């Protein structure tokens, strides 16, 4: 019965589902694992970054991206879809900054990106975005926050979250390791350990990416910093 409705985005199946959104979630579940952790003094996002060939220049693309001075995001799913949303998010951040002369709060940014994604589930001639996003940033009071946005346009605030192919195992690991007193340095270590749980092959500074937000804003860690964290965990 469901197959009769699987090619229509705007028609509900008898069970009350928009089947194309279910397929978009499958695209997310097939993507590399990404995760985020909120700490007392910041937040971290981390992801696997695997290139299809050793000949590809791994400096030509990134999965952890800066949106504004105080916010960044990572995705699981289809890279080109993420690129569209990243450009939209940066534009929204700049519009807010030009109007109010301050950085957009991460909750407001999340709401506006989620609205864009929801619009692509409600009209003909388009398809849902095949990505889920994890955003970290600062609230209006300067406290850190972590949000997840799904292809349906739903968004949630999390203490720790995971998306992608190993998200079930990653969430189970995070549930065991997370506590409300976690500081940013420990959160970075926990993020790397969580990625290691489902990582195929040897993890190094070139096949994972991390980004952090703290009182100084958002930044993506460079490979040398990632290498130091990996060495600290191995010792």
């Amino acid at each position: 019965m469901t197959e009769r409705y699987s090619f229509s985005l705007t028609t509900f199946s008898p069970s009350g589902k928009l089947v194309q959104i279910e397929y978009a979630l499958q695209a997310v579940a097939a993507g590399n694992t990404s995760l985020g952790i909120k700490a007392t003094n910041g937040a971290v996002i981390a992801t696997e970054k695997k290139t299809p060939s050793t000949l590809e220049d791994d400096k030509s693309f990134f999965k952890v991206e800066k949106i504004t001075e105080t916010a960044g995001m990572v995705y699981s799913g289809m890279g080109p879809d993420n690129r569209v949303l990243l450009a939209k998010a940066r534009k929204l951040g700049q519009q807010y900054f030009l109007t109010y002369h301050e950085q957009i709060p991460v909750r407001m940014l999340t709401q506006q990106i989620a609205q864009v994604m929801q619009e692509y589930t409600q009209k003909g001639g388009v398809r849902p975005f095949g990505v889920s996003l994890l955003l970290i940033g600062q609230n209006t009071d300067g406290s850190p926050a972590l949000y997840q946005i799904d292809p349906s346009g739903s968004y949630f605030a999390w203490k720790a979250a995971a998306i992608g192919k190993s998200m079930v195992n990653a969430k189970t690991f995070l549930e065991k390791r997370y506590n409300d007193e976690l500081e940013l340095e420990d959160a970075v270590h926990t993020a790397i350990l969580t990625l290691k749980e489902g990582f195929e092959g040897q993890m190094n500074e070139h096949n994972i990416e991390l980004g952090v937000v703290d009182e100084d804003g958002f930044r993506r860690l460079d490979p040398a910093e990632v290498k130091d964290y990996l060495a600290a965990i191995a010792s």
Side-chain angles (χ1 to χ4, degrees):
M1 179 67 76
T2 302
E3 287 75 11
R4 294 172 54 188
Y5 302 89
S6 63
F7 295 104
S8 174
L9 173 60
T10 57
T11 304
F12 283 97
S13 70
S15 60
K17 295 180 179 179
L18 292 172
V19 183
Q20 285 296 312
I21 294 177
E22 301 289 320
Y23 293 161
L25 288 169
Q26 290 181 25
V28 173
N32 289 333
T33 306
S34 301
L35 59 95
I37 304 173
K38 184 178 75 168
T40 57
N41 57 338
V44 57
I45 46 178
T47 186
E48 298 177 6
K49 179 187 177 182
K50 295 184 177 178
T51 56
S53 170
T54 56
L55 298 177
E56 186 171 343
D57 183 0
D58 60 9
K59 301 181 184 66
S60 64
F61 72 98
F62 299 98
K63 292 189 66 180
V64 171
E65 291 281 10
K66 186 178 190 176
I67 304 174
T68 69
E69 292 300 318
T70 58
M73 76 181 197
V74 67
Y75 75 94
S76 287
M78 300 178 64
D81 286 14
N82 172 73
R83 190 168 63 241
V84 173
L85 291 170
L86 175 64
K88 181 66 174 177
R90 286 173 170 168
K91 185 175 181 179
L92 290 168
Q94 285 300 307
Q95 288 174 336
Y96 186 94
F97 184 80
L98 288 172
T99 303
Y100 300 105
H101 305 288
E102 62 183 26
Q103 300 298 331
I104 186 170
V106 65
R107 178 178 174 83
M108 184 178 296
L109 181 61
T110 299
Q111 289 174 328
Q112 294 187 16
I113 298 172
Q115 178 63 31
V116 172
M117 296 176 75
Q118 193 278 333
E119 288 175 359
Y120 278 71
T121 70
Q122 206 171 2
K123 57 186 178 183
V126 298
R127 63 162 175 80
F129 288 95
V131 290
S132 285
L133 307 176
L134 293 175
L135 274 73
I136 56 172
Q138 295 176 352
N139 292 312
T140 51
D141 61 358
S143 61
L146 166 66
Y147 288 92
Q148 175 181 337
I149 313 175
D150 285 335
S152 64
S154 300
Y155 65 93
F156 314 91
W158 291 87
K159 296 178 180 178
I163 53 178
K165 62 184 177 183
S166 297
M167 67 176 181
V168 175
N169 291 336
K171 284 183 178 180
T172 300
F173 186 85
L174 288 169
E175 286 170 358
K176 294 176 181 177
R177 297 293 295 260
Y178 184 84
N179 67 77
D180 291 331
E181 279 71 49
L182 199 67
E183 294 189 350
L184 184 57
E185 282 293 302
D186 293 329
V188 173
H189 288 138
T190 302
I192 295 172
L193 288 171
T194 306
L195 278 182
K196 267 192 168 184
E197 283 293 293
F199 199 86
E200 299 174 1
Q202 182 67 35
M203 181 182 286
N204 60 52
E205 67 272 21
H206 301 297
N207 56 24
I208 65 169
E209 284 186 14
L210 294 103
V212 297
V213 65
D214 55 21
E215 59 185 9
D216 296 322
F218 176 86
R219 66 189 181 91
R220 182 175 55 238
L221 301 188
D222 61 47
E225 291 177 286
V226 176
K227 185 177 182 178
D228 289 341
Y229 278 114
L230 290 171
I233 289 172
S235 63

